[in-house]
Amino acid sequence: MRLFRALRAAAPNLSEIQGDLFSRGFPKFYETYYFFSIQRPGDFSKALPKLVDGKHISSLAAVLGQWKDLDKPLNESTKEKTVTQLSNALIGFSVFGLKEIERGIQSLGKGPALVGLGETESGKYSLEKSDPAFYTGMKKDGPKSLFDPPVTRWDPLFQANIHGVLKVAGSDKDQVESRLKQLKEALGYDSGVIVDIPARSPPTDALSRVDGAAEKRSERLAWGREHFGFRDGISQPLMRDIDSDDACKTNNFMVTPQDAIIVPQDGKAWGHTSDTPPGDPSRRPPWMKDGSFLVFRKLEQHVKRFNTLLEKHKSVGCKDPEQLAAKLMGRWKDGTPIADGEPRNPVEPANSAPVNLLASNNFPAPSTKKDSRTVCSPGAHILKTNPRTPAWSSSRILRHGIPYGTPFIDKDEPRGLLFACYQSSIDMGFRKLQQWANSRTFGEGASSLAPGIDPIIGQSKETAEGGQVKKEDAMRVWKDDKGADFWGKRTEEEGLGPHEPVVTMKGGEYFFVPSLAALRGVLGT
């Protein structure tokens, strides 16, 4: 299988790519995902060009310009930066939404080949053949292939048939609400072209949406922490001609061909050839160029369970709960990789500059050879989801999640992460990484390591039905700083033992985020 493709010869048209599709994504403190149903598909298609021409949907060029402004030096007199009042928006469609759009195009006499769902007259284009996971949808694919809970255990909002999503992010709630109102008006919400999904997802009170908010550290638009207390969004793929030259030079190990995230001209995904199961991306219709697949999942975090798990620190050779937490994640809570030793900045002043941790995340993956040493266990979350081996580089994804719910005090309530990731192939990206997280092994063949499932997001048959992580699935924790105890016979002391899962998937969907050219062209009228 060919794993690497050359970087694109031509620079991407940043004015035609939706704005969240790069390492830093939308600047945000607040974000909402509004899910909708298309009721009058012909009128909906007519509205899409207006959505683009009215600049309701943000281009990557516009978002890069916002970041350039936000990155200007701090005001010398106050040492603070006044946040520009801003908002950005993105639109995506499930396969069911694309089928509705196709139906609307057919009603206008334009023919089914424009969307490329199912076999066309020539038999060439077929999303069923090119992207089977997307075509199937998360409700069928997740429980069958990823040990997701049965759909009956999902939040009511995600049990419904969702056609599309509007992702709106901004500097504050008022900015986001105003932008969402404009988008809904442009898509004909008031006249019934689109309608709400008549269901909720707690703790968000409103129908048809979920809301999230990032920790606000001073007045900068920067990533905060998720509910277990870890800084999020550190190791992101970098793309030349999109991310800055300085970033790509400093963190060269994370430079990733654009084809891994954004669908290229020929439709193929990076490292995904026609002989690579389960899909053949060469069967994608041409309008998908410069788009990307969005995986959205609502992940409920059980902080009390996580803290209870950390009480096992002595049994696995950790000096305190914080060290065990670091070994489970692969990083200390301030973001310092455990491979670097102690945390660099365990107590961060509110106005402190974020520590640049990207370069220090370039540590080696574990080897199956006994003389190999790395301090990060192969079962740690950051290695399970980014194995740092050439064979898995083609499965990198862009992650742009945001926490939801109130901070934990003393009891578990609905709180967690609105997980969102982008890739040019769900089958080669998220889906492969989730299956990797669900596997007990690290590596392939008889010599592979067996560190257990991902302790954060790993799922099993038992957890899907609300049960515990079994002893044989539980992560094995390296006891010392060189992993020397890992090679001994498996004992109860080396493993975490049975425990409650610390994350529960509460629903989601697969979406495609088309280019602005596709919205005003093939998908619009």
Side-chain angles (χ1 to χ4, degrees):
M1 181 181 78
R2 177 164 54 96
L3 290 174
F4 295 96
R5 289 163 55 104
L7 294 175
R8 289 185 178 179
N13 187 345
L14 304 181
S15 296
E16 296 295 346
I17 297 171
Q18 293 205 49
D20 208 27
L21 300 183
F22 88 115
S23 63
R24 303 176 76 178
F26 290 153
K28 63 190 179 187
F29 281 139
Y30 188 86
E31 188 167 60
T32 190
Y33 290 82
Y34 170 74
F35 304 96
F36 60 87
S37 175
I38 301 170
Q39 295 297 294
R40 288 160 41 195
D43 290 333
F44 182 80
S45 287
K46 291 178 182 179
L48 289 178
K50 299 175 184 177
L51 203 67
V52 178
D53 294 339
K55 297 185 178 180
H56 297 295
I57 299 297
S58 306
S59 71
L60 184 49
V63 173
L64 288 169
Q66 291 173 357
W67 275 112
K68 185 176 181 180
D69 180 62
L70 290 167
D71 287 337
K72 290 178 181 178
L74 297 176
N75 185 301
E76 288 300 320
S77 62
T78 63
K79 297 297 183 182
E80 286 288 343
K81 180 179 294 186
T82 300
V83 176
T84 303
Q85 298 298 299
L86 55 80
S87 63
N88 289 288
L90 168 147
I91 191 169
F93 306 106
S94 70
V95 68
F96 312 105
L98 289 180
K99 287 180 178 180
E100 287 300 309
I101 292 174
E102 182 177 64
R103 188 165 68 87
I105 291 173
Q106 288 177 332
S107 72
L108 298 171
K110 295 212 170 186
L114 290 174
V115 176
L117 290 165
E119 297 288 348
T120 65
E121 292 181 3
S122 66
K124 181 179 180 182
Y125 302 125
S126 169
L127 288 181
E128 183 177 11
K129 298 293 193 299
S130 65
D131 296 277
F134 173 72
Y135 190 84
T136 301
M138 191 180 292
K139 282 194 283 291
K140 288 185 178 180
D141 183 61
K144 178 181 178 181
S145 304
L146 305 176
F147 293 127
D148 283 349
V151 175
T152 54
R153 298 173 66 94
W154 294 14
D155 285 351
L157 171 58
F158 301 109
Q159 295 182 34
N161 194 15
I162 295 170
H163 291 163
V165 60
L166 292 169
K167 177 180 182 179
V168 188
S171 53
D172 58 64
K173 184 175 181 178
D174 289 342
Q175 289 288 321
V176 169
E177 295 295 339
S178 176
R179 185 69 167 254
L180 178 59
K181 182 179 179 181
Q182 293 171 12
L183 286 160
K184 292 168 71 174
E185 288 175 352
L187 290 174
Y189 177 83
D190 293 337
S191 57
V193 176
I194 64 169
V195 298
D196 293 342
I197 308 294
R200 293 179 174 85
S201 177
T204 302
D205 291 329
L207 293 172
S208 204
R209 61 187 279 179
V210 289
D211 302 331
E215 178 189 20
K216 189 172 183 179
R217 295 179 64 249
S218 77
E219 292 302 315
R220 305 178 192 198
L221 289 174
W223 290 297
R225 297 177 182 240
E226 46 73 56
H227 286 290
F228 294 146
F230 292 88
R231 179 174 286 175
D232 199 13
I234 293 173
S235 290
Q236 293 276 41
L238 302 173
M239 294 178 283
R240 298 194 190 280
D241 298 319
I242 295 178
D243 289 283
S244 71
D245 291 341
D246 287 344
C248 291
K249 183 178 179 180
T250 303
N251 309 297
N252 185 62
F253 74 101
M254 285 304 295
V255 173
T256 302
Q258 297 158 22
D259 295 3
I261 309 299
I262 300 170
V263 175
Q265 179 69 51
D266 60 9
K268 293 183 179 179
W270 177 45
H272 197 177
T273 59
S274 59
D275 60 352
T276 302
D280 178 2
S282 66
R283 302 290 298 275
R284 291 171 177 159
W287 67 264
M288 299 183 84
K289 171 184 176 290
D290 287 339
S292 187
F293 288 94
L294 163 63
V295 173
F296 174 85
R297 288 163 78 82
K298 185 186 178 191
L299 303 179
E300 188 163 304
Q301 294 177 260
H302 308 290
V303 183
K304 191 171 184 179
R305 290 184 188 177
F306 185 71
N307 292 340
T308 299
L309 183 61
L310 299 184
E311 293 175 3
K312 295 187 176 188
H313 63 277
K314 291 183 179 179
S315 69
V316 291
C318 293
K319 64 181 181 181
D320 55 33
E322 288 299 300
Q323 187 183 34
L324 177 54
K327 290 196 173 188
L328 299 182
M329 185 64 69
R331 291 194 185 103
W332 297 92
K333 289 186 176 180
D334 77 330
T336 305
I338 198 168
D340 279 5
E342 295 297 315
R344 297 180 188 177
N345 196 10
V347 180
E348 298 171 274
N351 295 329
S352 65
V355 178
N356 183 1
L357 298 162
L358 286 174
S360 62
N361 276 277
N362 187 18
F363 53 85
S367 169
T368 55
K369 296 180 180 179
K370 289 189 177 182
D371 61 355
S372 174
R373 293 290 182 264
T374 176
V375 299
C376 188
S377 167
H381 174 67
I382 67 171
L383 273 179
K384 277 284 192 173
T385 54
N386 183 6
R388 292 166 169 81
T389 62
W392 285 83
S393 296
S394 59
S395 294
R396 287 177 177 166
I397 57 176
L398 274 178
R399 296 164 289 112
H400 289 321
I402 194 168
Y404 72 87
T406 59
F408 176 79
I409 298 177
D410 57 4
K411 62 180 181 179
D412 274 334
E413 296 175 342
R415 64 172 59 86
L417 184 72
L418 303 180
F419 173 84
C421 73
Y422 302 99
Q423 57 264 284
S424 62
S425 166
I426 292 173
D427 296 278
M428 287 293 288
F430 160 78
R431 194 171 182 271
K432 190 173 182 180
L433 290 175
Q434 184 64 54
Q435 289 174 334
W436 183 250
N438 296 346
S439 171
R440 298 178 189 173
T441 64
F442 190 104
E444 299 178 354
S447 63
S448 63
L449 307 180
I453 68 174
D454 185 318
I456 308 299
I457 65 165
Q459 301 182 141
S460 66
K461 180 180 178 181
E462 290 73 26
T463 65
E465 296 296 335
Q468 287 191 328
V469 176
K470 297 189 303 182
K471 174 183 175 181
E472 52 266 40
D473 287 336
M475 178 182 163
R476 297 173 68 187
V477 181
W478 285 359
K479 289 186 177 180
D480 65 19
D481 288 340
K482 294 186 177 179
D485 290 345
F486 179 79
W487 298 104
K489 182 179 179 181
R490 183 182 179 92
T491 66
E492 187 172 355
E493 287 71 33
E494 289 176 322
L496 288 172
H499 62 85
E500 297 293 327
V502 299
V503 169
T504 301
M505 187 270 196
K506 302 297 287 183
E509 188 55 278
Y510 298 144
F511 298 95
F512 186 73
V513 177
S515 69
L516 300 186
L519 291 173
R520 74 167 73 89
V522 173
L523 303 180
T525 56

